[in-house]
Amino acid sequence: MAQQIGSSVLDLERGTLRRDGEIVPVRPKTFDLLAFLVRNPGRVLSKDELFEAVWPGIIVTEDSLTQCIRDARKCIGDETQSLVRTVPRRGYMFQPGDDTASVSLAPAAPAAVPAGRPPEPMVAILPFRVNTDDAAAKPLFDGAVEEIINALSYFKTIAVLARHSAFALAQYSDRDIWATAERLGADYVAEGAVESADDGYNVRVVLSETASGRRVWAQTFSFRTNEIFAFQRTVAQRIATALVANIESAAMRRVSPAAAANVEAYVHILRGIALLRSYGEGVNQQARAHLLKALELDPESGLAHAYLALADTIIGGYTGAPRSVLDQARDRALHAMALSPDEARCHRILALILLYRHDFEAAAQHLARALDLNPYDADTLAQTGFFHTLRGNAETGLALLDQAIDLNPMHPPWYYYDRGEALLHVGRYREAAVSFSCLPRKSAWQLARLAACYGLDGDLDKARFCAREGRRLEPGLTVQAIIADLRLQSLENRDRIRTGLELAGWGEEETQETPLPATPLKG
């Protein structure tokens, strides 16, 4: 069950709080307080009740409660104290108010509807603590951790918490990290501490069980800077060996620990990937510059070629990019795959570009290959789910998207669009609207989907509001242009969206060709 609070969504099952679609770090006691408040709306709760609910069997001062209330308000953006109200000399009250659009009980948010925990042990690899003044160390070891996550994903007997979620855990205090990791489904946590040495680094890596705190494995590594790729591979192997008695050692032997043979080039690749995953003015162009620099230093880096192809596709406008741009991106991605044939990310990026070119069969082949190489890559699972949805098999697509969200509960915003599309096409309109609503920024195309969901669900006031906002952003965007997206193979799905938009009052005054939507599939 998920509770919407203004612009925030409190997921009671997952134990997370999102605000404007982004994960908000929240202390366990603050979460417990918010959960108790939203379960008792419109009622004055005495301090004694709150003490018993949040600190059962523990004696704490009123200062602890005051601080917890202050922290809760900060987390949900309640600066005016209109949601969590102080009742003098009596206690506190959670007051939803009369505006149900502001605070309403919503269906479970996307992250709360997993397809089922994988039976394999799940491990979270946290970003290493860098205890050095070396400015290059932090991005270098962030990249090392990402490559360790990627390498571990090759073992079909181990599930790995996705990079986005694992790195988000670093926002929590030492006391809260393990509890949050356990709530996210991680059975084990791997942590590392980095210190400078004379000609390189010393790194202490510890693997622990989240439930008991028991240390499973620990080792200190000393290596030169140019030996970091061997370090990544070794750490992944040792973690896998510690977790599983019989692992697929052959799979690890085929893993390239990093696409670049040059450390400086590798750092540029890491910066480019990070920028492609972000949103903001000019970030994709900055990412492209870093990837070009990486290729100057290491022209044979398959990963750099692949992400440069993706950057060019994003800058060109995704599906709306000129054919020449998509063809050039496809050729570069093919070159990347030839350089790194066993790198799952190269296959995934090639598949996306082929999808934008409407080469569906080829895209399906490379998505399948990416999953075969790396079955626990959350982004590949999500994008494969979206692909199945577009091809008219939304039930399969939704199952894959839920599996991806289970592996990456702190996922980037574009997952909301993909899952919303799947929910729309299986007829779960209200849940689809919740998913689309979680997008922090909504284009006219995304508002069209939201309008269709509300229209099909019978909420015509919200449907018409979204239609007005969408037409305001793009006055020339017609119903015909929206449903003419050639990627939607099912006529039933096209008719479904047409009906929803017509119910929302989205007119068809203009008939000129409109570019296809730029679905925000980042790196």
Side-chain angles (χ1 to χ4, degrees), residues 124 126 161 169 176-187 189 210:
L126 302 185
L161 193 67
L169 286 172
D176 298 339
I177 282 179
W178 282 19
T180 307
E182 188 175 9
R183 281 205 301 268
L184 294 177
D187 303 289
V189 168
T210 54

Side-chain angles (χ1 to χ4, degrees), residues 302-325:
L303 201 59
H305 278 290
Y307 275 102
L308 180 58
L310 180 61
D312 287 339
T313 303
I314 293 171
I315 293 169
Y318 300 90
T319 303
R323 186 73 176 191
S324 59
V325 171

Side-chain angles (χ1 to χ4, degrees), residues 244-401:
V244 183
N246 299 305
I247 62 173
E248 300 172 7
S249 57
M252 178 55 78
R253 284 197 295 271
R254 74 183 181 185
V255 175
S256 174
N262 178 291
V263 172
E264 187 179 352
Y266 181 47
V267 170
H268 281 289
I269 294 173
L270 298 176
R271 290 173 178 167
I273 293 174
L275 285 163
L276 282 178
R277 285 175 172 153
S278 66
Y279 293 84
E281 189 68 29
V283 293
N284 297 318
Q285 289 77 5
Q286 294 172 40
R288 188 177 192 276
H290 278 293
L291 294 166
L292 286 171
K293 184 63 177 176
L295 288 172
E296 285 181 23
L297 296 164
D298 184 7
E300 301 302 304
S301 168
L303 201 59
H305 278 290
Y307 275 102
L308 180 58
L310 180 61
D312 287 339
T313 303
I314 293 171
I315 293 169
Y318 300 90
T319 303
R323 186 73 176 191
S324 59
V325 171
L326 291 174
D327 288 347
Q328 185 176 2
R330 175 204 57 194
D331 293 344
R332 184 179 289 279
L334 284 167
H335 181 59
M337 193 182 66
L339 291 169
S340 302
D342 290 328
E343 172 53 72
R345 287 169 288 185
C346 292
H347 286 273
R348 173 168 63 85
I349 289 170
L350 174 59
L352 288 177
I353 295 168
L354 292 170
L355 174 60
Y356 295 137
R357 295 180 75 259
H358 310 304
D359 294 340
F360 301 115
E361 297 306 321
Q365 178 185 359
H366 287 286
L367 282 171
R369 180 57 176 157
L371 280 179
D372 179 60
L373 288 167
N374 193 339
Y376 290 112
D377 183 274
D379 287 355
T380 302
L381 284 166
Q383 289 165 356
T384 303
F386 185 62
F387 176 80
H388 279 287
T389 298
L390 295 177
R391 300 305 305 277
N393 194 356
E395 291 285 358
T396 298
L398 185 59
L400 288 167
L401 281 156

Side-chain angles (χ1 to χ4, degrees), residues 43-45 47 73 81 84-94:
R43 184 168 73 84
V44 177
L45 301 170
K47 294 178 181 179
R73 286 168 172 160
Q81 302 184 19
V84 180
R85 299 184 178 181
T86 301
V87 181
R89 295 184 297 279
R90 295 182 62 193
Y92 298 89
M93 179 173 64
F94 174 62

Side-chain angles (χ1 to χ4, degrees), residues 408-419:
N408 191 7
M410 297 179 181
H411 53 74
W414 60 262
Y415 278 49
Y416 289 124
Y417 180 91
D418 289 8
R419 190 171 190 273

Side-chain angles (χ1 to χ4, degrees), residues 361-491:
E361 297 306 321
Q365 178 185 359
H366 287 286
L367 282 171
R369 180 57 176 157
L371 280 179
D372 179 60
L373 288 167
N374 193 339
Y376 290 112
D377 183 274
D379 287 355
T380 302
L381 284 166
Q383 289 165 356
T384 303
F386 185 62
F387 176 80
H388 279 287
T389 298
L390 295 177
R391 300 305 305 277
N393 194 356
E395 291 285 358
T396 298
L398 185 59
L400 288 167
L401 281 156
D402 285 342
Q403 187 180 350
I405 289 169
D406 196 36
L407 285 172
N408 191 7
M410 297 179 181
H411 53 74
W414 60 262
Y415 278 49
Y416 289 124
Y417 180 91
D418 289 8
R419 190 171 190 273
E421 192 83 20
L423 288 165
L424 169 59
H425 295 316
V426 299
R428 290 159 61 178
Y429 305 126
R430 185 168 300 181
E431 291 175 76
V434 170
S435 195
F436 286 127
S437 294
C438 289
L439 289 166
R441 295 179 180 177
K442 299 176 183 64
S443 68
W445 291 92
Q446 292 158 353
L447 284 166
R449 290 295 196 269
L450 193 54
C453 290
Y454 283 132
L456 291 166
D457 192 48
D459 194 338
L460 297 185
D461 288 341
K462 289 183 179 178
R464 293 187 180 109
F465 174 80
C466 291
R468 288 195 300 270
E469 285 296 297
R471 294 302 298 274
R472 181 182 63 81
L473 290 175
E474 288 195 36
L477 182 58
T478 66
V479 171
Q480 184 59 37
I482 293 166
I483 65 170
D485 182 350
L486 295 178
R487 294 176 303 165
L488 281 176
Q489 296 296 290
S490 167
L491 291 177

Side-chain angles (χ1 to χ4, degrees), residues 128-161:
F128 290 177
R129 290 184 174 87
V130 178
N131 305 315
T132 173
D133 294 331
D134 182 357
K138 182 67 167 68
L140 191 65
F141 281 95
D142 280 354
V145 169
E146 180 162 358
E147 292 300 334
I148 291 168
I149 291 172
N150 191 55
L152 278 169
S153 297
Y154 283 74
F155 294 90
K156 296 181 175 64
T157 45
I158 297 172
V160 190
L161 193 67

